Amino acid sequence: MSIIVQKYGGSSLADIDKIMRVANRIIDAKKQGNKVIAIVSAMGKTTDNLVTLANQISKNPPKREMDRLLSTGEEISMSLLAMAIQSLGENAISLTGPQAGIMTDSIHNKAKIINIVSDRLLKELENYNIVIIAGFQGLNENNDIATLGRGGSDTSAVSIAAALNADLCEIFTDVDGVYACDPRIVPNIKKLTAISYDEMLELANLGAKVLHPRSVEVAKTHGVTIHVRSSFNHNIGTIVKEENKMEHNGLITGIAHDFNVAKVVVFGIPDIPGTAANVFRELAKSNINIQMIVQSSQINNKNDIAFTCSLSDARDAKNILENIAKELGAENILIEENLAKVSIVGAGMMTHSNIASQMFEALAKSDINIDMISTSEITISVIVDSSQCEKAVKALAEEFKLV
Ligand code: ASP
Ligand code: MG
């Protein structure tokens, strides 16, 4: 008997009709002779609504309580779905993350799964139960509920698939799979039949919302094949797996964009050994996640250092650096917020040298000004004004023949 792990996102569980439809789909999978585990997200916009409630009390609510609050959304879905399956005459049981043995580290709001104690899960499957598990949550070393970061149910599903050595991990969502860019920007964009772990990981990290980045990391480490597909039809979606050289998607596989980016500039610091170390040491201490860094060449023995990070990290970074500006010898600290990051991703880049110039030409033709540039082995990212983001994505989709 095969073990199948399915994950249903919030839009697939948004109301009772949809929950009944998901229940039928899970029962079908069981009737085909499989042991089925389903991981669920919170219904519809539940998590957003809970965040809004908390923010009416505080802009910076205590992280432990926030985790406890947000984790309730998944618990509503899991119970309703288990009831729905039982109402259709099948055996099902719902388990919270802790009941399912999902153990995390102790970083509230962005915990990582460190272990899954699968005894209970396996026992329930042996009893011919369909097991429904609350995604996004686990139990940390202090016996407290921790959540995995927004979108984290994907990671719960892939981690359980890895722990049980499942035959398949299906991620059900409201679109037909992974597209080469956001179809809300380019409606006729290509759907990808398959994508490698490395490319998917870059796209997810650079802002594509379809999969939680950590889920792709776990899949890659444990060799879990992911099938991203729609819960509203039976179409084949997108397979995320180890790269197969024969199936290259072309030079560029996808385009990601991200509005959650800001630039911090440290003006006029002395051009002597140790200044960059001083700046980034302080930021690292506060867990600020730095993305791009640019240091200008020195004038009058002074440098400017600019870097990008998420909006909330940038605001924290500005405060931290202002407090130590004197020690750094910095003249001024500035933050710029109305920006977006647009990135192209493709394993084909490793063997072609002219992709960067092709990208910049395409942006120039659309009269888009580039603020910062960074590259890695399989990505090129640019920072542009946020008002230019959609135009940039469209131009690049055309240029790299992704429509
Ligand atoms: N409900 C959580 C969120 O909205 C987790 C998830 O959906 O994966 O971020
Ligand atoms: Mg999601």
Side-chain angles (χ1 to χ4, degrees), residues 17-30:
D17 277 353
K18 292 189 172 121
I19 289 178
M20 292 307 298
R21 191 152 39 165
V22 166
N24 274 306
R25 189 155 193 154
I26 292 172
I27 291 171
D28 284 348
K30 183 178 179 190

Side-chain angles (χ1 to χ4, degrees), residues 241-259:
K241 60 181 175 82
E242 206 52 72
E243 182 179 14
N244 176 346
K245 292 274 180 289
M246 303 299 289
E247 298 177 351
H248 247 329
N249 283 311
L251 281 183
I252 298 303
T253 303
I255 304 166
H257 71 280
D258 193 356
F259 288 108

